[in-house]
Amino acid sequence: MFDNITAPQAKRRGGTSMAVSILLHGAVVGAAFLLAYARAHMPKSTEEPVSVTFRPPPPPPPPPPPPPASRKKVTPRTERIKPKVPPTTVIQPKEIPKVEEKPPDIPEPEVEEDEGVEGGVEGGVVGGVVGGVVGGQIGGQIGSAGPVEFNDTMNPPAKVSGPDPQYTSQALEREIEGLMIVKCVVSTQGVVRNCRVMKSLPFMDRAVIEALEHRRYSPALLRGQPIEVDYTFKIKLTLPQ
């Protein structure tokens, strides 16, 4: 009687537990499927790359300064003590040397100088001619010793006649102008000779010398007497207008 009552209850319990386990397995499988689906369809994350820069390490610190140089000890100089030299004794000679006496100075007799004559030349000789040339012969004529250099104590020669220098064709083409210096001998007769060009102008030396040698001058005078001189001519050349 009791078996009949409990048997249907045991069957009912077995069927209930099986249904529960089937439901649990189905729930687990569904959850796993949902989880796998969700992972498969999840959006991928787009992360930006991070830039990494490497900085060099800082330079090492400078070395410490060297220690100050030790000052050298200055040792004071010791003055050298000069040895004392005993004074030398001077021994006088027994014989006193004789001093030679100089002979007395005899004054030379004074020679009276000739004061010369009025109008004489310094450096002349006694018996010369007034107005003569230094180095000339006694009794000779003035100017006989040759030409002398003209100086300020003389009256210069004066032109009496003669041509002026004529321009050459070469000098005209090149428009030559300027100052020529020519040295000539002017005799006591006023003749011009022995001309030398001291300062030249192109193409005009020969023309100027020929013009001077064809001139006549009054002679230079020394104290009113004619004298042959070496005279310097200064000739200024200008182009004809």
Side-chain angles (χ1 to χ4, degrees), residues 130-155:
V130 177
V133 180
V134 177
Q137 295 180 357
I138 298 175
Q141 296 181 355
I142 297 174
S144 60
V148 295
E149 189 74 22
F150 180 81
N151 55 57
D152 294 338
T153 62
M154 305 174 186
N155 294 331

Side-chain angles (χ1 to χ4, degrees), residues 157-221:
K159 180 183 175 182
V160 177
S161 63
D164 291 330
Q166 298 296 320
Y167 261 89
T168 62
S169 59
Q170 296 92 336
L172 285 174
E173 289 176 2
R174 291 163 177 79
E175 298 182 353
I176 301 298
E177 288 184 333
L179 181 68
M180 277 190 66
I181 298 176
V182 183
K183 210 168 189 181
C184 302
V185 174
V186 181
S187 68
T188 54
Q189 289 79 28
V191 177
V192 181
R193 58 183 173 82
N194 195 16
C195 292
R196 295 94 64 199
V197 176
M198 311 305 292
K199 183 180 178 183
S200 174
L201 285 177
F203 308 106
M204 288 300 297
D205 293 355
R206 187 69 256 168
V208 170
I209 290 175
E210 288 180 356
L212 287 174
E213 290 180 347
H214 284 83
R215 289 181 180 181
R216 287 296 177 268
Y217 283 82
S218 62
L221 300 177

Side-chain angles (χ1 to χ4, degrees), residues 26-126:
V28 170
V29 172
F33 179 76
L34 291 174
L35 183 61
Y37 181 81
R39 284 183 178 180
H41 291 80
M42 283 180 65
K44 294 181 180 181
S45 62
T46 58
E47 295 182 357
E48 295 181 358
V50 179
S51 62
V52 179
T53 57
F54 294 94
R55 293 182 179 178
S70 60
R71 295 181 179 178
K72 295 181 179 181
K73 294 182 179 180
V74 180
T75 56
R77 295 182 178 179
T78 57
E79 296 183 357
R80 295 180 179 179
I81 301 173
K82 296 181 179 180
K84 293 182 179 181
V85 180
T88 57
T89 56
V90 179
I91 302 173
Q92 295 183 355
K94 294 180 180 181
E95 296 181 359
I96 299 173
K98 293 180 180 181
V99 179
E100 295 182 359
E101 295 181 358
K102 293 182 179 180
D105 295 333
I106 301 173
E108 296 180 358
E110 295 182 359
V111 179
E112 294 183 0
E113 295 182 358
D114 189 3
E115 295 180 356
V117 296
E118 185 178 356
V121 180
E122 183 179 356
V125 296
V126 179

